Amino acid sequence: QDEAGVPGMLVGVAVDGEEVWAEGLGYADVENRVVCKPETIMRIASISKCLTMMAVAKLWEEGKLDLDAPVQKYVPEFPEKVYEGEKVTITTRLLVSHLSGIRHYEKDTAKVKEEKEKANRALRLTKCRQDKEQKEKEGKVIEKTDSVKPREEHEGEVKSRNSKPGRRDKEFEQEEYYLKEKFESVIESLKIFKNDPLFFKPGSQFLYSTYGFTLLSAVVERASGQKFTDYMLKMFRDLDMLSTVLDDNEAMIYNRARCYVYNKKGRLVNAPYVDNSYKWAGGGFLSSVGDLLKFGNALLYSYQAGQFKNTNGRLLPGYLKPETVAMMWTPVPKTEVSWDRDGKYAMAWAVVEKKQQCGCCRQQRHYASHTGGAVGASSVLLILPEELDSATIGAGLVAPPRGVIVSIICNMQSVSLNSTALKIAREFDKEKWAQCVD
């Protein structure tokens, strides 16, 4: 919080399905000296994509949504697309993995390609440096640990922490981040981008796109037969996420924090007014850390429930089927993740797979995460599943969910939180096993 100059921050941790830590740090409202509390509600930004994916998965399980059907089956208002003279198809499966070719906030194709090339060059340089250091380490015994990440993995975040607090990323220079128009429906909000050309042939490349999720919300609306926002709010009630609501400026939402940015002089100021009704699905929800922990536990329970077969019918089913969550958390080819170099994008989640390249060297644990960046807010939700032992499961000594979930939200934009969340998750995981030994 101090390094990034954040006015207020919320952090929550759940271990094996129970919330063990929830705390508010700093101020939810600086002007009125209102301190952050565990129940404080903030913008969760792109974690909204994970919530929307839960709705997509539920509709798919119920047979109401075909992931591989053209989106026009559900949303005929979205025009059929042509890329380089060839008719192409956009499906729900491509939308949830950002492979559709639909633009993000930047309209200029050349600028987007230039930025991607810069990022790829930087990634290649970092990998070369890593490979060089790895060769230097070969033949040496290195203390086995999964609680400390190599220096290179933190370089991006350290750089961001040492830069101007609340800095404006190039993404935040896009005018469409600051839309003030209120859209009455998700179908109406399609007009922002539906007639724009695709940036590439669907399925051929990765381009993170919040507008892809705006189109996805229209698909959910038609597949469910309910207004998108109504369907989502009902799902939140089913998941006991009673503090998760629409980021509606007009509504009276108790415990809502204010949002902040730093101006060009480095002074803290209120974030500009925006209306997020054009992107409910991709970045338009408010929540508390407690609700995000409940959401993470529901997913983790669903993911692991299939492994606990010897329960004599005492185990309730998960909100989703185990194989559905496994599909959601399976890395998709051609994708990438900006906030975690170890990860690949899956279906509205970034996933890091279990891996160890050399003996007595760093182990890479399996986990899923998603970060969020909005006007005046940053967030992360990270799920670190326990590596279940078949003997323990068979003995019936434990029940799902097993693992650590961390959620962090703050009322300042452009704050890197994923590495911090992973550190916290590993500390609680280590402490859990230490207590088991004792």
Side-chain angles (χ1 to χ4, degrees):
Q1 183 188 11
D2 292 341
E3 288 171 346
V6 176
M9 181 175 281
L10 313 172
V11 59
V13 178
V15 178
D16 296 343
E18 291 187 20
E19 182 183 295
V20 296
W21 181 33
E23 189 170 348
L25 309 167
Y27 290 99
D29 183 336
V30 174
E31 290 167 291
N32 295 298
R33 313 310 272 177
V34 178
V35 297
C36 284
K37 301 174 290 185
E39 57 266 32
T40 298
I41 293 172
M42 293 185 182
R43 285 176 176 159
I44 61 171
S46 286
I47 295 176
S48 302
K49 293 179 173 70
C50 303
L51 306 184
T52 302
M53 184 62 221
M54 181 78 103
V56 169
K58 193 68 173 175
L59 290 168
W60 177 71
E61 283 189 349
E62 294 170 350
K64 296 177 180 177
L65 175 55
D66 183 349
L67 294 175
D68 298 304
V71 292
Q72 288 80 10
K73 175 180 177 180
Y74 306 99
V75 192
E77 292 89 343
F78 189 77
E80 292 186 348
K81 293 293 181 180
V82 174
Y83 183 76
E84 294 184 346
E86 177 188 354
K87 184 179 176 182
V88 294
T89 301
I90 295 175
T91 65
T92 299
R93 192 182 296 276
L94 293 176
L95 289 175
V96 297
S97 297
H98 302 288
L99 296 169
S100 68
I102 293 174
R103 70 176 179 87
H104 195 36
Y105 297 111
E106 175 59 71
K107 296 180 181 180
D108 190 328
T109 309
K111 284 185 180 179
V112 171
K113 287 182 178 177
E114 183 182 345
E115 288 300 317
K116 288 196 78 172
E117 285 173 5
K118 282 182 182 177
N120 289 335
R121 280 198 299 271
L123 188 64
R124 284 195 295 270
L125 287 172
T126 304
K127 192 172 187 312
C128 287
R129 188 165 61 247
Q130 267 191 305
D131 291 343
K132 183 180 178 182
E133 291 193 6
Q134 184 63 39
K135 286 178 181 178
E136 291 173 357
K137 290 176 183 176
E138 284 181 1
K140 298 178 183 178
V141 177
I142 301 172
E143 183 181 356
K144 181 179 179 181
T145 175
D146 69 348
S147 62
V148 180
K149 298 183 83 175
R151 174 178 56 83
E152 296 88 347
E153 291 193 50
H154 292 298
E155 284 182 352
E157 295 210 5
V158 170
K159 184 179 178 182
S160 79
R161 290 169 180 164
N162 292 338
S163 62
K164 193 172 182 179
R167 74 203 185 287
R168 285 198 175 216
D169 289 336
K170 287 188 177 180
E171 184 171 303
F172 283 97
E173 293 173 4
Q174 304 301 323
E175 291 181 6
E176 288 175 351
Y177 244 112
Y178 303 94
L179 291 180
K180 296 175 175 58
E181 180 182 353
K182 187 174 182 64
F183 292 88
E184 296 302 323
S185 70
V186 294
I187 299 296
E188 185 189 352
S189 61
L190 296 177
K191 71 180 185 182
I192 300 172
F193 63 92
K194 71 178 185 178
N195 293 318
D196 294 339
L198 297 181
F199 274 33
F200 50 79
K201 182 179 179 180
S204 67
Q205 295 181 46
F206 176 89
L207 177 64
Y208 190 90
S209 171
T210 291
Y211 287 141
F213 273 72
T214 298
L215 176 55
L216 188 64
S217 65
V219 172
V220 169
E221 182 164 293
R222 294 291 171 72
S224 66
Q226 300 178 45
K227 191 176 178 182
F228 172 74
T229 50
D230 291 344
Y231 185 84
M232 294 300 293
L233 292 173
K234 181 185 180 302
M235 186 184 82
F236 298 153
R237 287 196 298 273
D238 292 342
L239 293 168
D240 197 30
M241 297 168 61
L242 303 182
S243 296
T244 306
V245 294
L246 300 172
D247 187 4
D248 186 345
N249 293 304
E250 296 174 0
M252 297 297 294
I253 300 172
Y254 296 100
N255 297 313
R256 172 161 40 179
R258 300 189 73 161
C259 298
Y260 299 95
V261 297
Y262 282 92
N263 64 15
K264 292 179 180 179
K265 295 182 179 180
R267 299 289 295 272
L268 187 71
V269 296
N270 288 305
Y273 174 88
V274 294
D275 190 302
N276 287 323
S277 59
Y278 71 104
K279 58 173 182 179
W280 295 131
F285 292 111
L286 304 172
S287 192
S288 63
V289 288
D291 268 18
L292 292 181
L293 294 179
K294 289 178 181 178
F295 176 72
N297 277 322
L299 264 176
L300 186 56
Y301 183 101
S302 298
Y303 180 64
Q304 294 176 332
Q307 300 176 50
F308 291 80
K309 295 184 172 65
N310 187 27
T311 58
N312 298 320
R314 290 174 295 167
L315 200 62
L316 291 170
Y319 187 78
L320 297 176
K321 296 174 183 176
E323 55 269 25
T324 303
V325 185
M327 176 184 71
M328 287 166 49
W329 286 352
T330 299
V332 176
K334 301 178 183 177
T335 63
E336 58 198 57
V337 177
S338 61
W339 61 87
D340 194 328
R341 198 174 60 245
D342 288 332
K344 288 284 187 183
Y345 209 83
M347 300 175 81
W349 284 91
V351 177
V352 171
E353 294 186 292
K354 181 180 178 180
K355 185 173 70 174
Q356 185 176 13
Q357 292 180 327
C358 303
C360 293
C361 292
R362 173 177 170 259
Q363 292 181 352
Q364 187 170 284
R365 281 278 298 275
H366 166 58
Y367 60 89
S369 71
H370 211 294
T371 61
V375 174
S378 302
S379 60
V380 65
L381 174 61
L382 187 143
I383 301 175
L384 181 69
E386 180 181 322
E387 295 178 355
L388 294 169
D389 177 77
S390 57
T392 305
I393 295 172
L397 299 175
V398 296
R402 301 288 297 180
V404 181
I405 298 167
V406 178
S407 61
I408 309 174
I409 324 173
C410 67
N411 54 358
M412 169 62 65
Q413 72 188 38
S414 301
V415 181
S416 300
L417 296 171
N418 192 71
S419 177
T420 302
L422 185 56
K423 281 183 183 177
I424 293 171
R426 283 171 162 158
E427 284 300 315
F428 275 84
D429 183 64
K430 188 167 62 175
E431 180 64 22
K432 181 179 83 168
W433 291 109
Q435 288 178 0
C436 289
V437 171
D438 294 339

